[in-house]
């Protein structure tokens, strides 16, 4: 029986050693595959958590938490190393047990139970033990005031708290995000319940409250909501007078100087609605040069530029304040050539206002313009652009005749609008080529212009 017992002891030792080796493989070398699975799960979970931060008209601030590290990463590495040490200890016990002959069956059972407990403990290593401690939302009772993507300032109800807590057992520290944080403007840190909705039609006392809030605050979120509220109310004639009488025009116009493009856009929109009133134009005229300068130097085709062009167009519908912008004629024509479709149309509407005033003709035709402007007469452009450029040419041609400027051609340089439209003959050829245009409205307009040449 002695040899039988020794054989049994050896067999039990071999079994225990094989089990320990298998455990080491599963917990050490085999964990790379598990990490890939948990990494994929974590990335999908991160995407679902961060994919809902941006809303229509909400201005995002991605830079605040882009570099945050996971709280669980610092705890993961010790956990893995401890698991390896425990497993190696089990293997040593198994080998030492294989050479000792006493109670091997009980020891083997105990060791296998230990291995089973460790394996079950490792099974839950990917469970997420924390959530984002702060999310980006608008303040309660405040609808999003923005009319385009990134239009309003979100608030932070909490901070990232050092990152998202996680129980992932990564062998390597998670690398920081390589995405460059978006350039954003300061967002408000506290909560503020604005007393009105942005689409409410307010009475004079309520408008006074909004103006007081706008005058006293430096918070861009509150400024934006107040400006949108005032701009919406300025669409009604009775509130246009009320805002002016309450001293609202200077309060709104002071925000032209802000560096935040969203605030400037909302400021121009509010002033644009107020400028429909002739008396309000008398208040706004002192800011028109500042608006023009900012419109020319801001980002091409931006929402701020479009809002500024709309305000300038409204302010030049009458002839009273056009002379304040005559110094910017070359900039307008350069913008007409460089801008996109919408910028071109809005700029042409602005220039057409000047062409309808004969007193501005000499300054207009003497300014330098890019020769590429002639490309706007090509038939590839759509109806709206062709109709506007034909109207612009028609008005200038009529004014040159009425003002007798044709006999003063020596006063104008070869780079002037006068030479491009009148002397070069290129415009006339381009217009004649449009006589066969497929659009009937364009064809009728072309025939009307040609009859006046």
């Amino acid at each position: 029986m002695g040899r039988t017992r020794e054989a049994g002891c050896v067999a039990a030792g071999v079994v225990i050693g094989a089990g320990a080796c298998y455990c080491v493989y599963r917990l050490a070398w085999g964990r790379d595959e598990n990490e890939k699975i948990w990494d994929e799960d974590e990335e999908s979970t991160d995407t679902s958590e961060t994919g809902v931060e941006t809303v229509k008209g909400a201005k995002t601030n991605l830079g605040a938490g882009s570099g945050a590290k996971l709280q669980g990463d610092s705890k993961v590495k010790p956990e893995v190393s401890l698991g390896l040490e425990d497993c190696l200890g089990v293997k040593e016990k198994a080998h030492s047990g294989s050479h000792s002959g006493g109670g091997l069956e009980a020891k083997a059972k105990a060791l296998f139970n230990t291995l089973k407990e460790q394996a079950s403990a490792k099974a839950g290593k990917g469970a997420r033990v924390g959530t984002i401690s702060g999310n980006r939302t608008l303040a309660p009772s405040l609808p999003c005031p923005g009319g385009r993507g990134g239009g309003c300032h979100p608030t932070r109800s909490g901070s990232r708290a050092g990152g998202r807590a996680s129980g992932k057992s990564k062998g390597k520290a998670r690398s920081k995000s390589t995405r460059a944080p978006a350039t954003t403007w300061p967002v408000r840190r506290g909560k503020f319940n604005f007393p009105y909705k942005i689409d409410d039609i307010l009475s004079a006392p309520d408008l006074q409250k909004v103006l007081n809030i706008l005058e006293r605050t430096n918070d861009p979120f509150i400024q934006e909501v107040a400006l949108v509220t005032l701009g919406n109310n300025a669409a009604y004639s009775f509130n246009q007078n009320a805002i002016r009488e309450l001293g609202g025009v200077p309060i709104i116009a002071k925000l032209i100087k802000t560096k935040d493009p969203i605030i400037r856009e909302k400021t121009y929109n509010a002033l644009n609605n107020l400028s429909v009133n002739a008396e309000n134009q008398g208040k706004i005229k002192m800011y028109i040069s500042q608006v023009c300068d900012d419109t020319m130097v801001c980002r091409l085709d931006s929402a701020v530029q479009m809002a500024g062009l709309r305000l300038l167009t409204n302010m030049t519908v009458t002839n009273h304040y056009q002379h304040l912008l005559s110094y910017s004629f070359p900039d307008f024509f350069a913008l007409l050539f460089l801008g996109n479709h919408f910028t071109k149309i809005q700029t042409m509407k602005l220039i057409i206002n000047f062409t309808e005033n004969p007193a501005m003709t000499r300054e207009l035709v003497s300014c330098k313009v890019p020769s590429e402007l002639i490309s706007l007469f090509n038939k590839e452009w759509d109806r709206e652009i062709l109709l506007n450029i034909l109207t612009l040419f028609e008005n200038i041609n009529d004014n040159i005749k009425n003002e007798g400027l044709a006999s003063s051609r020596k006063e104008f340089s070869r780079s002037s609008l006068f030479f491009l439209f009148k002397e070069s003959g290129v415009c006339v050829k381009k217009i004649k080529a449009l006589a066969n245009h497929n659009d009937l409205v364009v064809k009728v307009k072309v025939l009307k212009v040609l009859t006046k040449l």
Side-chain angles (χ1 to χ4, degrees), residues 69-76 129-130 133 160-167:
K69 294 183 179 180
L70 298 177
Q71 293 177 347
D73 287 351
S74 61
K75 300 179 182 179
V76 168
V129 296
S133 59
R160 292 290 181 184
R164 293 184 295 272
S166 173

Side-chain angles (χ1 to χ4, degrees), residues 255-369:
L255 295 175
I256 295 175
K257 299 179 181 179
T258 184
K259 295 182 179 180
D260 190 334
I262 299 297
I263 300 301
R264 296 207 310 276
E265 178 200 353
K266 305 307 179 186
T267 301
Y268 293 157
N269 288 340
L271 292 175
N272 182 48
N273 287 346
L274 289 171
S275 66
V276 176
N277 185 294
E279 294 183 43
N280 287 343
Q281 286 191 359
K283 299 287 185 180
I284 299 173
K285 68 177 182 179
M286 63 184 66
Y287 309 104
I288 190 171
S289 297
Q290 189 176 352
V291 173
C292 182
D293 294 342
D294 180 56
T295 302
M296 294 300 106
V297 300
C298 69
R299 186 169 59 86
L300 183 65
D301 302 328
S302 63
V304 182
Q305 189 171 72
M306 287 298 297
L309 287 173
R310 286 193 293 266
L311 174 56
L312 296 176
T313 303
N314 265 2
M315 289 295 295
T316 55
V317 169
T318 62
N319 301 339
H320 301 305
Y321 313 112
Q322 290 182 355
H323 64 281
L324 299 175
L325 299 176
S326 59
Y327 70 96
S328 294
F329 284 161
D331 296 328
F332 293 151
F333 283 103
L335 189 61
L336 179 59
F337 170 67
L338 296 174
N340 63 14
H341 177 270
F342 301 103
T343 303
K344 280 180 168 61
I345 292 175
Q346 194 62 49
T347 305
M348 279 191 281
K349 290 179 179 179
L350 174 60
I351 298 176
I352 287 173
N353 286 346
F354 292 103
T355 63
E356 292 176 349
N357 181 8
M360 302 298 297
T361 302
R362 182 176 292 274
E363 291 183 72
L364 194 61
V365 299
S366 62
C367 73
K368 295 183 179 180
V369 297

Side-chain angles (χ1 to χ4, degrees), residues 19-20 22-23 27 86-87 90 108-124:
Y22 180 76
C23 173
L27 297 180
D86 292 343
C87 188
V90 170
K109 188 174 182 180
L111 289 174
F112 277 114
N113 289 337
T114 302
L115 294 175
K116 184 177 180 180
E117 290 174 1
Q118 291 181 356
S120 61
K122 293 295 180 181

Side-chain angles (χ1 to χ4, degrees), residues 50 53-54 60-67 136 156 160 179-182 184:
T50 58
E53 290 186 2
T54 304
T60 58
N61 186 3
L62 299 178
S66 62
R136 305 173 59 80
R156 295 175 62 89
R160 292 290 181 184
R179 293 181 298 176
T184 56

